[in-house]
Amino acid sequence: MSQAKQLRLIVTFPTTTEAIFMEKTCRGSQLPGRLIPVPRSISASCGMAWCAPTEAREALEQAVQAHGITVEGWYYVMI
Amino acid sequence: MENHVLVNAMGEACPMPVVKATQALREMTEAGVLEVLVDNEIAVQNLTRMGAGKGYAVQAEKQGDAKYSVRILVNTPPTEAAPAPEPACVPDARGDMVVAVGSSTMGQGNDELGATLMKGFLFAVSQLPKLPKTILFYNGGAKLTTEGSASLEDLKKLEAQGVEILTCGTCLNYYGLTEKLAVGGVTNMYAIVEKLAAASHVIRP
């Protein structure tokens, strides 16, 4: 039943290592978000994605660029 | 200071908590937090569904015996045009399944990956349409229910919806975490065995 569905920014990565690096980077820079399994609406494959408030996109894009993190895609998903 | 509206629905049975919350929501003219206090898990489930159905984020926390707080984060006040669905009393969303977590990591191989997988696992459990009855944490799993765990938010939400969160006391003691338990209660081997024996099925990540 019960999960609170809201529009979230989902960032996917080509590798799990990259996703874990994203988590470390965001924790270090106090950027919002958390790792979750990639939502089924994006991909059926097994992987981890960064899930964050939609308004964090600009800050996350800057962090991704500054740290050379390879992103596969940016999505907006109701979660 | 943020706009905070408090609705006390302690002692009220469904659909009253949802009716009261919906009314308070309708009267909110600016963004803020609508906090509803209730005394049962079914009310938490119904309020969570109501808030989520309107597109708001919902936080829920067990604050004591028969005391729960549901916080609906109203980022934009409801508009007049928004449809108001009838409050529904939905049966309990918990099943008889038990999740047994014996490690802070999921699977064997690399511990960093295992910790990431376990975080994802507990998040996905919180998204199940039918929630587990109990989640048991033992051995390294005890680290997940204590201060500093990345899964506390998911576990608190599950607890507020009536999922029993129990951590092995021997394990907390062994790891020096007894004072750091942050969600759920402490249990012993007899209770762990009884819960596993009574489960319709057991999931072990």
Side-chain angles (χ1 to χ4, degrees), chain B residues 96-191:
Chain B
D96 285 327
M97 175 245 297
V98 169
V99 178
V101 182
S103 166
S104 60
T105 58
M106 186 173 178
Q108 274 112 44
N110 177 285
D111 282 351
E112 184 181 44
L113 173 63
T116 299
L117 295 179
M118 182 60 85
K119 261 187 289 181
F121 172 82
L122 291 172
F123 172 80
V125 168
S126 78
Q127 306 283 302
L128 278 174
K130 202 153 187 81
L131 298 174
K133 182 178 168 53
T134 305
I135 308 182
L136 299 168
F137 293 89
Y138 50 85
N139 208 332
K143 292 172 187 166
L144 298 166
T145 54
T146 47
E147 284 170 24
S149 156
S151 294
L152 287 183
E153 190 188 325
D154 293 333
L155 294 176
K156 282 183 178 175
K157 199 166 149 184
L158 283 162
E159 182 188 38
Q161 293 182 81
V163 177
E164 196 176 24
I165 310 283
L166 293 173
T167 305
C168 152
T170 308
C171 313
L172 288 169
N173 180 276
Y174 181 86
Y175 288 115
L177 293 170
T178 306
E179 306 301 319
K180 307 235 184 265
L181 187 70
V183 60
V186 178
T187 191
N188 60 42
M189 190 59 82
Y190 296 105

Side-chain angles (χ1 to χ4, degrees), chain A residues 8-15 18-20 22-23 26 32-39 42 47-54 56-61 64 69-77 79:
Chain A
R8 308 289 287 181
L9 174 66
I10 300 292
V11 190
T12 60
F13 308 92
T15 65
E18 209 76 5
I20 293 174
M22 177 73 171
E23 183 183 42
C26 289
R34 61 179 295 184
L35 280 184
I36 64 164
V38 174
I42 296 176
M48 302 298 290
W50 190 251
C51 171
T54 52
R57 176 155 184 165
E58 202 177 324
L60 292 174
E61 276 180 346
V64 160
I69 300 170
T70 312
V71 165
E72 198 171 63
W74 301 80
Y75 302 87
Y76 292 97
V77 178
I79 290 179

